[in-house]
Amino acid sequence: MADLPEMLAELQSVADSPKKMLAKYLAQGKKVVGCFPIYTPAELVHAAGMIPMGVWGGQVNPSVAGQYAPIFICSIMRSCLEFGMLGKYKGLSAVIMPILCDSFRGMSGAWRVGVKDIPLIALIQPQNREVDGAREFLAAEYGVVKEKLEEIAGHKISGDAIENSIAIYNSHNATLREFARAANRHLDVITPKIRHAVMKSAHFMEKAEHAAKVKDIVLKLAELPEHKWTGRKVVLTGITAEPGDLLDILAENKIAVVGDDLAQESRQFRTDIPAGQDPLDRLAGQWLSRSACSVVHEKTSARPDLVIKLAKENRADGVIICLMSFCDVEEYEYPLLAKTTAQAGLPSVCIDIDQSTENSGQARTKLQTFVEML
Amino acid sequence: MFTLGIDIGSTACKAVILQDGARVEARAVVPLGTGTSGAGDVLQKVLAVKNRQIEDMERILVTGYGRFTFAGADSQKSELSCHARGVNFLFPSVRTIIDIGGQDIKAMRVNAKGFLENFVMNDKCAAGTGKFLDVMARIINVKVNDLGEIGLKATEEVNISNTCTVFAESEVISKLSAAVRIEDLVAGIHRSVAKRVASLAFRNGIVPEVAMSGGVALNKGVVALLEEEIKRNILVHEDCQLAGALGAAVLAYEELHK
């Protein structure tokens, strides 16, 4: 087993350079299918013997995406389209896009027109999840996705293969949750940037491979004496907490991340696929079980309570709301989130997250002020 | 004992020398921002007021956008913490502070001791900031410092519908082409700023009393319209522009007495 810094550096490298992972898997003769945020049935890709790879855009000031995407659309969508149009995703056999919000609705058309060499598999998760038929509808949607993936893979995807992938994904979820707990005992080693890298790298690696690496990290952490963190502790909530500069600012201000409700990170790992008889029905059941997320409709948002619980359980001093620019679902949830956390005695600060700019001056001022305020 | 607070802002540098944490000994403003000679100039200027030497200063605390690069500072704090303490020094009863600076807007809620309880800042957008007013003053060809008095002479506000600085600039140009009165146009520009700032203040919650700090607080037109928008009186101290530097000097004094 490698030493801990080496293990962490490897996952940092994966998170920083997903393109290298794409090249690696293609060189192994594997097909790779891109998975758009936030919830995609990646298990079906995995079951087909292909590699599901997260498509989360990146820091770029788009030049060509403007042909099809307005400037006031979610910056992840714009950067994904930009990278797609510029050929940065070349090698992907297809992309799966869940139409989870209005931005996705427009993006599906933009992708089809702008990125003709990478076919798009779109699917819709039912937002009214309490009605009869929601589960059956989604299982049928997943059935269509499965058929399209079978065409790409060149073979059928068996029920047993899906069951096997589901087991791997559930096990991976448990491993990442264990990592999050272990990280809190070693906040000197697991800096905000490293914590993010371990979580984010999951999107770009085959899940069993990633889980094995994270398990090794957890074992190595267990060998270290527990660290008593003297700085401030926060919980992050939002879609993503990027770029890395932002996480560096947290470290500079002696802020540790002790929990997150980020779509790119813990929201991916907190809801397991439930038990059941039919694998597609089980996958649909996972969507019906999801909660406390801005793209999941609930009569009353469970997110504020979840964030408060996360903060209290992990003794956080405050909450950083990472508000994705032009993400309407997140913008609508912000006032409730800020108000509810304040009522619970948890100070919060809102940081603007935008993939189209790397200027972090305002974030630096806000975070320094936040620490001075705590 | 003297402590020195320097606020190196985006468009101006301000400095305050405080005696024993309680009395303002000297103040200075230089209309040059971070990255220029402004920081050095304001230091010399404030020391010259009472012919002091840098060695006379027990502690120097720097704030503002240039706070990380000023050589000779003993410590630095964010401008929000400093504005909060500075306004508390000037108006102890204030619980909500609205600061309109050169490139950002801040709404802060503070407790009786001037400690921040909550704050919001504008996003990466110049709408409603001092820069917005600078741009508009240039198009209209008036001094930015005169905007306040000009706007108060309006008889009918011209509606400026765009909040974006660049689009608002185009809109103002088109209004100028339509030969509207400058006073009415300036009032419309001030209304645009007031609406933008009010929405941010509402987002943070407004608890009386309310004060404004920062250079734009000197613009009586903006203050009057902002009072209308938030439906509350706004206190403005003659040293409002110096609130950040004053707060820095107060915090420097407190650091010496920790």
Side-chain angles (χ1 to χ4, degrees):
Chain A
M1 196 186 293
D3 65 7
L4 184 58
E6 226 175 285
M7 294 172 174
L8 296 172
E10 184 186 359
L11 294 190
Q12 181 77 63
S13 169
V14 170
D16 290 346
S17 316
K19 205 169 166 58
K20 281 187 199 162
M21 297 306 293
L22 174 61
K24 177 189 146 183
Y25 289 124
L26 291 175
Q28 290 173 357
K30 291 177 178 161
K31 288 184 176 173
V32 181
V33 173
C35 294
F36 267 85
I38 295 175
Y39 306 118
T40 306
E43 295 82 356
L44 295 177
V45 181
H46 189 270
M50 301 188 287
I51 301 292
M53 185 163 288
V55 175
W56 286 83
Q59 296 302 127
V60 63
N61 187 2
S63 56
V64 295
Q67 283 181 63
Y68 306 112
I71 199 157
F72 46 82
I73 199 169
C74 156
S75 64
I76 293 184
M77 294 294 97
R78 285 191 92 222
S79 64
C80 287
L81 184 60
E82 175 80 6
F83 288 153
M85 290 174 72
L86 292 176
K88 304 275 186 192
Y89 293 139
K90 195 172 169 57
L92 294 180
S93 297
V95 289
I96 304 176
M97 184 183 290
I99 310 299
L100 285 163
C101 63
D102 287 347
S103 296
F104 271 120
R105 210 171 298 283
M107 261 298 287
S108 59
W111 184 276
R112 286 190 173 107
V113 176
V115 193
K116 291 194 169 66
D117 56 335
I118 304 179
L120 175 81
I121 303 170
L123 76 133
I124 294 176
Q125 284 104 333
Q127 284 294 355
N128 193 346
R129 299 177 300 159
E130 292 176 12
V131 296
D132 291 341
R135 191 168 181 137
E136 289 79 1
F137 168 82
L138 186 55
E141 277 286 277
Y142 287 163
V144 174
V145 173
K146 176 173 161 281
E147 284 171 16
K148 290 180 178 171
L149 289 171
E150 286 171 342
E151 281 174 29
I152 294 164
H155 60 80
K156 289 283 181 192
I157 304 170
S158 72
D160 286 347
I162 303 173
E163 291 288 355
N164 180 53
S165 293
I166 286 174
I168 289 171
Y169 270 69
N170 276 349
S171 171
H172 179 264
N173 287 349
T175 301
L176 268 288
R177 294 194 294 260
E178 176 55 29
F179 165 74
R181 287 190 290 272
N184 287 358
R185 296 190 285 272
H186 304 284
L187 296 172
D188 53 334
V189 178
I190 307 299
T191 63
K193 202 170 188 175
I194 288 175
R195 186 184 190 280
H196 165 71
V198 172
M199 299 264 186
K200 186 180 177 184
S201 56
H203 292 284
F204 312 122
M205 288 179 77
E206 191 278 320
K207 284 294 183 292
E209 186 185 358
H210 187 261
K213 289 187 185 296
V214 177
K215 274 180 187 164
D216 286 348
I217 288 170
V218 171
L219 285 174
K220 282 286 182 189
L221 285 173
E223 292 172 8
L224 300 175
E226 190 165 334
H227 177 76
K228 188 170 167 50
W229 180 254
T230 55
R232 298 297 186 179
K233 296 177 181 177
V234 297
V235 162
L236 306 179
T237 180
I239 302 295
T240 67
E242 292 185 313
D245 285 357
L246 177 72
L247 300 166
D248 286 338
I249 296 171
L250 294 183
E252 285 165 22
N253 284 284
K254 295 190 170 44
I255 301 173
V257 176
V258 292
D260 82 88
D261 162 52
L262 295 168
Q264 194 183 44
E265 301 185 20
S266 285
R267 284 189 206 171
Q268 297 292 320
F269 316 119
R270 71 186 181 206
T271 309
D272 283 339
I273 299 155
Q277 300 300 314
D278 176 78
L280 295 185
D281 179 71
R282 291 182 66 190
L283 290 174
Q286 184 190 34
W287 168 253
L288 268 58
S289 306
R290 291 197 186 277
S291 175
C293 174
S294 52
V295 298
V296 175
H297 174 71
E298 290 174 298
K299 280 181 183 165
T300 305
S301 173
R303 186 171 163 204
D305 287 343
L306 180 134
V307 170
I308 291 165
K309 184 168 176 273
L310 202 53
K312 299 224 160 160
E313 280 177 358
N314 294 295
R315 298 183 179 180
D317 299 292
V319 175
I320 298 178
I321 301 169
C322 304
L323 190 61
M324 180 62 65
S325 279
F326 301 119
C327 175
D328 50 356
V329 289
E330 286 278 308
E331 290 268 5
Y332 280 123
E333 282 205 344
Y334 167 74
L336 178 67
L337 201 51
K339 185 180 167 187
T340 316
T341 49
Q343 284 168 346
L346 277 170
S348 71
V349 64
C350 182
I351 301 293
D352 190 40
I353 303 292
D354 187 347
Q355 291 193 336
S356 66
T357 174
E358 294 195 11
N359 184 357
S360 56
Q362 274 202 330
R364 187 179 296 279
T365 297
K366 284 183 181 178
L367 290 170
Q368 183 182 356
T369 305
F370 189 56
V371 171
E372 290 168 0
M373 188 180 89
L374 290 174
Chain B
M1 177 197 291
F2 297 111
T3 54
L4 171 61
I6 304 176
D7 179 3
I8 305 171
S10 61
T11 56
C13 291
K14 291 79 69 177
V16 166
I17 296 174
L18 199 62
Q19 185 174 14
D20 299 328
R23 194 182 69 79
V24 174
E25 151 101 351
R27 50 176 75 74
V29 177
V30 170
L32 294 169
T34 183
T36 69
S37 63
D41 293 353
V42 83
L43 174 63
Q44 296 309 316
K45 197 172 169 183
V46 78
L47 290 171
V49 172
K50 291 285 176 77
N51 202 23
R52 299 284 177 200
Q53 303 299 312
I54 190 83
E55 293 77 19
D56 297 334
M57 302 299 121
E58 289 281 331
R59 192 167 182 85
I60 302 173
L61 193 148
V62 183
T63 188
Y65 277 86
R67 66 188 181 279
F68 297 108
T69 53
F70 183 83
D74 295 303
S75 62
Q76 55 87 14
K77 291 270 185 197
S78 79
E79 53 267 41
L80 287 96
S81 297
C82 290
H83 272 272
R85 300 309 300 276
V87 172
N88 179 259
F89 184 94
L90 299 170
F91 294 126
S93 59
V94 162
R95 296 292 175 270
T96 300
I97 302 166
I98 296 168
D99 170 59
I100 308 181
Q103 66 178 28
D104 54 32
I105 313 164
K106 307 158 191 106
M108 296 163 261
R109 287 216 319 270
V110 296
N111 65 17
K113 292 181 176 175
F115 291 108
L116 276 171
E117 288 185 332
N118 198 15
F119 68 93
V120 289
M121 284 175 75
N122 61 319
D123 297 328
K124 301 178 189 76
C125 171
T129 67
K131 177 59 74 180
F132 180 88
L133 291 171
D134 284 344
V135 170
M136 298 308 152
R138 199 181 63 239
I139 302 164
I140 302 171
N141 197 26
V142 299
K143 288 180 182 166
V144 70
N145 293 342
D146 295 338
L147 284 175
E149 292 297 333
I150 295 170
L152 290 175
K153 292 174 188 158
T155 52
E156 189 180 359
E157 272 178 35
V158 172
N159 181 36
I160 305 296
S161 56
N162 282 292
T163 50
C164 166
T165 307
V166 176
F167 292 149
E169 185 178 359
S170 305
E171 193 174 355
V172 167
I173 290 169
S174 71
K175 302 283 186 193
L176 284 170
S177 304
V180 299
R181 289 179 71 232
I182 293 294
E183 293 84 352
D184 296 346
L185 188 53
V186 169
I189 290 165
H190 288 167
R191 177 70 70 185
S192 168
V193 170
K195 280 180 179 287
R196 169 79 176 159
V197 174
S199 68
L200 199 75
F202 282 131
R203 194 164 192 167
N204 197 45
I206 298 173
V207 179
E209 293 182 299
V210 182
M212 264 185 82
S213 62
V216 177
L218 295 168
N219 181 322
K220 290 177 184 169
V222 169
V223 176
L225 294 179
L226 187 54
E227 284 179 326
E228 279 184 27
E229 293 294 333
I230 66 170
K231 298 179 177 59
R232 290 192 187 279
N233 291 330
I234 296 175
L235 301 173
V236 179
H237 196 278
E238 60 186 359
D239 282 339
C240 59
Q241 194 179 7
L242 290 153
L246 178 57
V250 170
L251 286 165
Y253 180 80
E254 287 180 358
E255 286 181 355
L256 285 171
H257 293 82
K258 264 183 187 171

